[in-house]
Amino acid sequence: MATTHIKRSTSASRLVNYAEKRAVKKDGLNLDIQYAKSEFKQVRDVYGNPGKTQAYASRIAFSPLEFNPQDFHDQATVLAVAKEVYAKAYPNQQVALYEHADTDSLHVHAVIGAINLATGQKMHGNWHQYRDHLVQVTDQVCQEQGLMVTQPDPNRHEKRSMAEIKLRAKQQPTWKDQIRQAVDHTMQNPLIRDFQAFQADLKQQAVKAWERGKNLTYQLLGTNYKSRGTKLGIDYEKETIFNELASRQTQSRTNQQPERAIKATVDSSRTNFNRTTELSRHPNSVSGNSQNVSRSTTATNRTNRSTGQSTISDNLKQLRQQQRQLTGPIKTDLAGFLRRFSKADQPDQPRKSNRAQTNSSRARPKQPTPQPTQQPSEPDHSRDNGPNR
């Protein structure tokens, strides 16, 4: 089982100096391993492509369950397997291989030249692509050689270097552990729902966090210790943090909608109650009218209850009408006779009084004749009392 790693470097010579000191075995691909630094420089000068990136530092580590670091046969086997891996992964690159046996597992450091010998162009892409490509080739070669293929742990959320693993074995915390603990403590707070609140809470724990491209970078305040989230683990990467914060915001909006609806219902009911109370005090209010309507409804019900007596009232009305028809001509003749009789009995008055009365009648303003009010259809008893004057 082999694990791989790769990252870019601005100095190929520095990588060679570090790897060459501890090497128990070394080999090269497309270069002479004894003159690795000079040949790297010669290729850069020939192709005229200096730039900042000169090489890529890579490493392949093998499990101690398969190879013994102190066994010379295992050392040779591991170096041969590593050379085959890099020959398939980067056939047109300069690669210097240095095998180390100073840890519990045999591992090989590789210095990969950035310039492609076939095209003269530098390697283009990012280290994620390079690492995925190197992992695929390594698994293929290990399977062909009968070695165990590395199975990624889906539950592994933290990435630790060998130095961190050793410190953890000694139960000594590292500065990366301090950052992890601070982030864990912040994300346990359900009120942290945006990145600004996330930054503010971390700052109270002496950790600074900011966006850097597609990643998050964390730094212990007052120190130069800083690390990207991709090196701390999956739980500390930008995508994981931002997805969790967005999920909390969505859940918060969903929870607030029923509360707002209940509050609006309560407020509207209170408003309607207050309006009803105020309107009921007004004489022209709907409530007063509703009382009138209820009274009229009650009267109508009473009328409906008395429908059984309608037949008797109709008969009485017909009888009274017949009486008026019979007594009408008699009353008319009697009234005319009485008028003529009263005129004959009245004495003559002098003309002056008649003129005065005439003038006074002219002087008086004309008063509007009162309109007779409609009375219910009851029998007219006034005609029975005598003539009208």
Side-chain angles (χ1 to χ4, degrees):
M1 182 175 63
T3 58
T4 57
H5 177 73
I6 185 172
K7 65 179 181 179
R8 70 181 186 89
S9 175
T10 58
S11 176
S13 299
R14 185 169 61 248
L15 295 177
V16 172
N17 290 336
Y18 169 80
E20 194 172 22
K21 291 179 182 179
R22 305 178 185 178
V24 294
K25 289 183 178 297
K26 55 184 178 180
D27 198 354
L29 180 67
N30 296 327
L31 56 74
D32 188 347
I33 193 61
Q34 300 298 332
Y35 306 97
K37 291 190 292 184
S38 61
E39 291 195 12
F40 278 128
K41 185 177 183 301
Q42 184 179 2
V43 170
R44 293 196 302 270
D45 294 339
V46 169
Y47 286 97
N49 194 350
K52 291 183 178 180
T53 303
Q54 295 183 359
Y56 285 83
S58 181
R59 184 183 69 250
I60 296 180
F62 294 86
S63 173
L65 300 176
E66 293 180 304
F67 299 102
N68 183 5
Q70 306 305 324
D71 191 328
F72 293 101
H73 181 267
D74 290 348
Q75 292 177 1
T77 303
V78 166
L79 184 61
V81 172
K83 186 174 182 179
E84 184 178 357
V85 169
Y86 287 102
K88 288 186 176 182
Y90 305 103
N92 298 321
Q93 310 291 130
Q94 293 175 301
V95 182
L97 302 174
Y98 302 92
E99 185 177 17
H100 290 186
D102 55 348
T103 63
D104 296 337
S105 62
L106 279 171
H107 56 280
V108 177
H109 289 271
V111 181
I112 307 171
I115 297 177
N116 189 313
L117 299 177
T119 62
Q121 301 295 323
K122 282 188 176 181
M123 295 170 58
H124 295 287
N126 54 55
W127 70 273
H128 294 282
Q129 296 175 349
Y130 298 149
R131 183 181 182 278
D132 293 341
H133 176 60
L134 187 59
V135 167
Q136 293 176 1
V137 175
T138 303
D139 291 343
Q140 180 183 355
V141 173
C142 288
Q143 189 174 6
E144 293 174 355
Q145 296 293 333
L147 302 175
M148 291 186 297
V149 178
T150 304
Q151 299 295 332
D153 185 4
N155 297 322
R156 182 185 178 187
H157 300 287
E158 296 181 1
K159 298 179 180 180
R160 297 183 179 274
S161 63
M162 185 60 66
E164 289 182 275
I165 294 174
K166 290 181 179 180
L167 288 173
R168 169 164 283 195
K170 297 178 182 179
Q171 297 183 352
Q172 296 180 1
T174 65
W175 60 270
K176 288 185 179 180
D177 288 332
Q178 297 180 24
I179 295 177
R180 292 188 183 99
Q181 292 174 2
V183 175
D184 293 341
H185 182 271
T186 298
M187 295 305 294
Q188 288 176 359
N189 186 357
L191 299 179
I192 304 298
R193 298 171 184 170
D194 53 61
F195 187 64
Q196 289 75 16
F198 176 79
Q199 288 177 308
D201 192 82
L202 280 180
K203 193 172 182 180
Q204 295 179 357
Q205 304 178 62
V207 176
K208 180 182 178 181
W210 68 92
E211 294 184 69
R212 187 177 179 182
K214 297 181 180 180
N215 301 315
L216 289 179
T217 301
Y218 304 91
Q219 181 180 5
L220 287 177
L221 293 177
T223 68
N224 292 327
Y225 295 130
K226 59 183 177 180
S227 174
R228 293 189 179 186
T230 53
K231 293 184 178 181
L232 297 176
I234 298 175
D235 289 343
Y236 311 95
E237 294 181 0
K238 177 180 178 180
E239 183 178 1
T240 305
I241 298 294
F242 276 53
N243 288 341
E244 176 63 22
L245 296 177
S247 176
R248 292 182 181 183
Q249 291 179 0
T250 303
Q251 186 177 3
S252 176
R253 296 192 197 100
T254 305
N255 294 336
Q256 288 178 359
Q257 287 178 356
E259 295 178 359
R260 293 176 180 175
I262 294 173
K263 185 177 180 181
T265 305
V266 172
D267 294 342
S268 62
S269 62
R270 290 177 179 174
T271 304
N272 294 335
F273 176 77
N274 295 333
R275 289 179 179 175
T276 305
T277 305
E278 293 177 358
L279 291 175
S280 63
R281 299 171 183 173
H282 197 274
N284 297 328
S285 63
V286 177
S287 59
N289 294 335
S290 62
Q291 295 177 1
N292 296 333
V293 171
S294 61
R295 293 173 183 172
S296 61
T297 305
T298 305
T300 304
N301 295 334
R302 293 175 180 173
T303 304
N304 293 333
R305 294 194 197 101
S306 61
T307 52
Q309 302 176 357
S310 61
T311 305
I312 299 173
S313 61
D314 292 341
N315 294 336
L316 291 174
K317 289 180 181 180
Q318 291 178 2
L319 181 60
R320 291 173 181 173
Q321 187 176 3
Q322 291 177 2
Q323 291 177 355
R324 286 196 299 270
Q325 291 177 357
L326 292 175
T327 58
I330 299 173
K331 291 180 179 179
T332 303
D333 295 340
L334 180 60
F337 175 76
L338 293 174
R339 290 193 192 98
R340 289 193 297 271
F341 180 77
S342 61
K343 288 181 181 180
D345 293 341
Q346 291 179 357
D348 295 335
Q349 297 179 356
R351 295 180 179 178
K352 293 183 180 180
S353 62
N354 291 336
R355 291 179 182 176
Q357 290 179 359
T358 304
N359 294 333
S360 62
S361 63
R362 289 179 182 178
R364 293 176 182 175
K366 293 183 180 180
Q367 297 182 355
T369 59
Q371 297 292 335
T373 58
Q374 296 181 356
Q375 298 292 336
S377 57
E378 296 292 336
D380 189 0
H381 297 289
S382 61
R383 295 182 181 180
D384 299 335
N385 297 328
N388 295 328
R389 293 186 179 180

